[in-house]
Amino acid sequence: AGAVRDRIIQIFGIHSPALMYQQQERARIEQDRLIREQQEIEFKESLRRDQERDNAIRLQEEAKQARVDERIRRRDQRQARAEELLARRRSAGDCLPVEPDASEADVVRLSFRLPDNTRLTRAFRGEEPLSLVRDFVFSHENAPAKFTLQTTYPKRVLVTDEDAAVTVASANLGPAAVLMVKDEDPYETDTEDEEETEDEE
C-alpha cells in the first residue's frame, strides 16, 4: 500500500505543472472571452449613443430648415400678395376719370378718413357710380385691401358690392360729406405683422 501511495504521489508530481498550465490557459482563454464580450457590449452601447445623438442632431437640423423654409414660403406669399395688391391699386387709379372742377354743376366733394387717420379728399360728379368712389380710396397705398365706406351721421354703410353701381347723387350725400373707411379684414394685417416679427427673430 505504501508503494502504491508513493507511486501516485510521484505521478501527480510529474504531471502537476502540466495540469496547472492547462488550468491557467483555460482560465486565460475564458478571461479573454469575457473581456471581448464586455468590449463588444460597450462598443454596441457607444454606437447606439452615437446614433441617437446623430439622429437628434439631424432632427434638429431638419426642424430648423423646415422653419426657415416656412418663413421663406410665408415671405414669398406676402410679397406676391403685396405685388398683386399694388397692381390692383394702380389699375384702379388709372381707371379714374379726371376730377371735376368745383365750379361744375352737380359736384359732390367727399372727404375720407382711413383707419390710420390718413385724410383724402376728391370731387365726384353726381352721375358717377359709387364704384369710382371706392376705386379712388382703394388706389391709395394706405387704404385697406378690403373695406366699406360709412357715413358719419347718420351712420350707414355706403359702398358694398351690391350698391357699387348706385350713383353719387342718389346716395344723398349732399354737396359735401365725410366718409369713414372701415377695414373689413384687420386680422390679416395683424397676422402679417406677427409673421414679419417672427421672421426678424
Side-chain angles (χ1 to χ4, degrees):
V4 173
R5 186 181 67 250
D6 292 340
R7 180 60 179 166
I8 292 173
I9 292 173
Q10 182 182 10
I11 293 173
F12 274 100
I14 294 173
H15 295 286
S16 59
L19 292 175
M20 291 179 61
Y21 174 78
Q22 292 177 357
Q23 291 174 350
Q24 291 174 354
E25 185 65 16
R26 285 196 296 270
R28 183 186 65 78
I29 293 173
E30 179 63 17
Q31 185 178 16
D32 289 346
R33 185 185 65 80
L34 294 175
I35 291 174
R36 286 195 300 272
E37 287 182 355
Q38 183 62 30
Q39 289 176 339
E40 185 176 357
I41 292 173
E42 292 175 354
F43 173 75
K44 289 181 178 180
E45 178 63 19
S46 176
L47 182 61
R48 183 188 64 80
R49 289 196 299 267
D50 289 344
Q51 289 175 341
E52 289 181 350
R53 184 181 65 252
D54 292 343
N55 287 336
I57 293 174
R58 177 179 56 79
L59 291 175
Q60 290 176 355
E61 291 297 326
E62 289 178 353
K64 181 179 179 180
Q65 185 61 45
R67 291 193 297 270
V68 171
D69 293 342
E70 178 62 17
R71 286 196 294 269
I72 292 174
R73 185 188 66 81
R74 291 202 303 262
R75 183 196 63 193
D76 291 344
Q77 284 184 339
R78 290 196 302 271
Q79 183 176 352
R81 288 198 301 266
E83 291 175 354
E84 187 268 342
L85 180 61
L86 179 60
R88 288 169 52 202
R89 291 188 192 281
R90 288 175 175 171
S91 177
D94 291 342
C95 292
L96 292 173
V98 177
E99 182 177 2
D101 188 86
S103 61
E104 294 184 27
D106 196 23
V107 170
V108 179
R109 189 160 191 83
L110 299 178
S111 297
F112 307 88
R113 182 180 298 174
L114 275 58
D116 65 352
N117 288 325
T118 298
R119 305 294 180 91
L120 305 175
T121 302
R122 191 184 191 279
F124 294 87
R125 296 180 178 85
E127 70 271 13
E128 292 177 332
L130 288 178
S131 60
L132 285 181
V133 177
R134 184 167 60 180
D135 287 345
F136 167 72
V137 175
F138 179 72
S139 66
H140 194 276
E141 61 181 0
N142 290 347
K146 183 178 180 181
F147 62 89
T148 56
L149 297 177
Q150 298 180 355
T151 58
T152 54
Y153 185 81
K155 186 176 180 180
R156 62 189 174 93
V157 176
L158 182 64
V159 178
T160 64
D161 291 338
E162 288 75 19
D163 59 13
V166 175
T167 63
V168 174
S170 62
N172 298 319
L173 296 175
V178 176
L179 301 179
M180 306 297 295
V181 180
K182 181 175 175 55
D183 191 347
E184 290 299 311
D185 196 10
Y187 174 76
E188 181 177 353
T189 303
D190 294 341
T191 302
E192 290 185 356
D193 291 341
E194 292 175 0
E195 291 177 350
E196 289 177 356
T197 302
E198 291 177 359
D199 290 348
E200 293 174 357
E201 295 175 353

